Amino acid sequence: MERIRVATSREYDVVIGGGILSQLGELMKPLIKGRTCAILADDTTSSLFGEAVRASVSSAGFKTVEYIIPHGEESKSAENFIAILNFLAENKLTRSDCIVALGGGVVGDLSGFVASSFLRGIPFVQVPTTLLAAVDSSVGGKTAINLSAGKNLAGAFYQPCLCLCDTDIIKNLPEDIFADGMAEVIKYGAIKSVRVLELIKLGAYENLEEIIAECVRIKRDVVSEDEFDTGLRQLLNFGHTPAHAIEKLSGFEISHGKAVAAGMCIMARAAENMGLCDKGIAAETEELCRAFGLPTSCVFSPEAMVEVAMSDKKRGAGGITLVVPKTRGESVLRKVPDCEIIEFFASGAEERK
Ligand code: GLY
């Protein structure tokens, strides 16, 4: 079992290991003063792991209540946000009680935002059940819901008090969902860790605990330095500028992980073609993505992608900060004026054979 301390405004441990879901209650006990635990889950995670979570927290002395949302991105809504706040109030949770978020990014983001708002903030525990949530969204305190104008437009930086990742859950994910998370794993390798790249090649399933731990350590280091996303944290967005455009242009039919994979390959090819990184970076990025059945390009034109990227409501004034590979296991931030973004998207568009 790995225990990684995250030193943000609220310090907490990320605990990673096989079969550790049963230890959830005992790990929560010293952190939570109250006796009620609201488990927020979706229909899938509730039916697969709800009983194990209830058993563990009950045997540690907590009373449990449960709120279940339908699985899928549509549940990350303002309506569910309000409904869950009302549910917590009706069940008389206090600021000493806690929320357990049992699920992937949708459950984690929504629960975290609820936790940040209810009674101006109550403790919450992340139990990620997807690889993407385990290595990315459950760590670092970004919480959000979607508005009709776009994704993640309302939210808060609000850290959990514990994150428990049972690698047995992640190992047993459907291949497609596992692959989505692998895109973010490849991202960590590309931005900061030759070790992650090597571990993936040695076998993602065989080395899963070490891979997740390594990614969490990288994320921990970045968010400890830039918790509120004013600089360095943007490094975690490698491939994400084209990816957000791809997701949007596909009407969100293309999943985040698959869009990130295509986005990273576009950025790696562009960097190599423009002489900004070592030779071989693009080929390795493509090879790693292909190994998990992830796409390495997209059908959308560079012009259409730029248009979406430029309309991104979260974009700063006077250009976009892109994450550009430099060498193996190292990427850098590069502020690009609006007029140059097309060069990157066009130069990286063409897939290598
Ligand atoms: N997912 C990127 C971040 O947490 O900043």
Side-chain angles (χ1 to χ4, degrees):
M1 186 165 90
E2 289 258 10
R3 196 183 264 263
I4 299 166
R5 188 84 180 151
V6 182
T8 39
S9 49
R10 180 207 300 237
E11 288 202 18
Y12 57 100
D13 285 336
V14 180
V15 186
I16 304 158
I20 63 171
L21 190 58
S22 58
Q23 297 176 38
L24 177 63
E26 283 309 312
L27 289 166
M28 282 168 52
K29 220 167 157 175
L31 305 171
I32 312 293
K33 291 197 196 81
R35 292 276 55 99
T36 305
C37 164
I39 301 164
L40 305 186
D42 67 31
D43 47 358
T44 309
T45 59
S46 169
S47 71
L48 290 173
F49 316 113
E51 194 159 336
V53 167
R54 278 191 302 275
S56 178
V57 297
S58 302
S59 65
F62 294 98
K63 174 190 153 209
T64 62
V65 292
E66 193 167 349
Y67 192 98
I68 301 168
I69 55 171
H71 66 274
E73 188 70 29
E74 297 205 334
S75 282
K76 229 171 100 172
S77 64
E79 291 73 22
N80 279 338
F81 173 73
I82 298 293
I84 298 169
L85 289 175
N86 278 318
F87 171 80
L88 299 177
E90 280 153 19
N91 282 282
K92 302 190 170 29
L93 265 82
T94 72
R95 235 189 245 160
S96 309
D97 296 320
C98 76
I99 291 173
V100 169
L102 173 65
V106 168
V107 169
D109 284 7
L110 172 65
S111 304
F113 191 35
V114 166
S116 76
S117 312
F118 185 67
L119 306 177
R120 300 195 180 86
I122 70 168
F124 92 112
V125 175
Q126 289 270 22
V127 182
T129 58
T130 64
L131 180 56
L132 199 145
V135 296
D136 188 25
S137 58
S138 70
V139 181
K142 277 191 182 174
T143 73
I145 56 169
N146 302 328
L147 302 181
S148 36
K151 279 174 78 169
N152 296 328
L153 290 185
F157 289 98
Y158 191 71
Q159 304 294 338
C161 61
L162 171 71
C163 177
L164 179 145
C165 172
D166 186 333
T167 49
D168 286 352
I169 295 178
I170 312 294
K171 270 189 185 143
N172 288 305
L173 285 169
E175 222 172 282
D176 196 44
I177 310 286
F178 186 85
D180 271 339
M182 281 309 298
E184 296 286 351
V185 171
I186 294 166
K187 174 196 82 178
Y188 284 106
I191 61 169
K192 265 198 179 291
S193 174
V194 172
R195 175 88 187 130
V196 168
L197 299 175
E198 294 302 330
L199 283 169
I200 300 170
K201 288 182 184 174
L202 287 170
Y205 283 94
E206 295 82 344
N207 296 290
L208 192 62
E209 187 171 327
E210 197 180 341
I211 286 175
I212 294 175
E214 193 63 23
C215 294
V216 169
R217 274 191 285 267
I218 295 169
K219 181 143 193 189
R220 181 265 319 266
D221 291 347
V222 172
V223 299
S224 308
E225 208 169 302
D226 181 23
E227 180 175 355
F228 300 107
D229 205 7
T230 56
L232 183 68
R233 192 162 176 162
Q234 290 174 47
L235 203 53
L236 300 172
N237 289 342
F238 174 44
H240 283 57
T241 302
H244 288 150
I246 292 168
E247 282 182 272
K248 219 162 173 182
L249 288 165
S250 77
F252 295 97
E253 284 296 310
I254 297 179
S255 68
H256 181 67
K258 288 177 188 62
V260 167
M264 291 190 296
C265 292
I266 290 169
M267 292 306 297
R269 285 189 296 261
E272 210 170 306
N273 292 340
M274 294 161 88
L276 300 172
C277 74
D278 292 347
K279 294 245 172 298
I281 300 292
E284 184 177 41
T285 311
E286 290 172 338
E287 179 203 325
L288 290 171
C289 290
R290 283 195 191 114
F292 295 92
L294 291 162
T296 56
S297 65
C298 71
V299 296
F300 307 110
S301 72
E303 291 76 16
M305 287 168 61
V306 168
E307 203 179 311
V308 176
M310 303 289 274
S311 68
D312 185 346
K313 293 183 177 58
K314 287 185 277 185
R315 194 167 72 88
I320 284 184
T321 302
L322 293 175
V323 185
V324 181
K326 188 174 165 203
T327 186
R328 220 172 154 239
E330 188 188 348
S331 300
V332 292
L333 295 176
R334 190 180 174 100
K335 182 116 189 181
V336 178
D338 288 350
C339 59
E340 282 177 25
I341 297 161
I342 187 77
E343 274 179 54
F344 278 86
F345 288 3
S347 177
E350 204 64 25
E351 193 163 356
R352 282 151 196 255
K353 296 288 168 236

